[in-house]
Amino acid sequence: MSATQLAVLARTVEPQRMLRRFLALDAVVTGTNAVAYLALAGPLGRFLGAGSGLLFGLGAFLAVYAAGVGLLAARPHPPTPGVRIVVEANLAWAAVSLAALALWLAPTTAGAVWTVLQALTVAGFALLQHMALKARQLNQD
């Protein structure tokens, strides 16, 4: 992905603002997912073929994670180590989601599709955040 494509996605050419926007988007999407898992663990569990306890636990974890990413996004200059942790956590989440699907989950078709789509989305956030962090570092030189 080129710097121009990244700027179009972020709707800004300023690397600092790009980074904060991609972190904020991650926090909003993750927080929305958390609320859905917490509020609708039973019905979503049946639809996706996952236990409601698993979804409730994931929802609680995602709520805390979204809050942390949101706090990072709210900082005028998100610290590089914090951003790297978010990027690595997102990559780990995507990898574990796909491994779980292959190794131990037995979801419905909708659940399998959801798992792959959310893994790709989270990996996409990691890529965008990494690229924006890199652009910010290049801009500082």
Side-chain angles (χ1 to χ4, degrees), residues 24-40 44 58-59 62-67 114 125:
L25 180 61
D26 185 355
V28 168
V29 170
T30 301
T32 301
N33 203 26
V35 169
Y37 284 178
L38 289 169
L40 302 168
L44 279 176
L58 288 174
L62 291 174
V64 172
Y65 182 77
W114 174 254
F125 282 141

Side-chain angles (χ1 to χ4, degrees), residues 26-113:
D26 185 355
V28 168
V29 170
T30 301
T32 301
N33 203 26
V35 169
Y37 284 178
L38 289 169
L40 302 168
L44 279 176
R46 287 186 294 279
F47 179 68
L48 300 173
S52 60
L54 172 65
L55 289 184
F56 192 83
L58 288 174
F61 170 78
L62 291 174
V64 172
Y65 182 77
V69 175
L71 287 173
L72 194 61
R75 296 192 61 179
H77 188 83
T80 297
V83 175
R84 285 190 179 135
I85 288 169
V86 169
V87 169
E88 291 170 8
N90 281 343
L91 291 174
W93 180 273
V96 169
S97 295
L98 296 175
L101 182 60
L103 300 174
W104 66 82
L105 292 179
T108 62
T109 301
V113 170

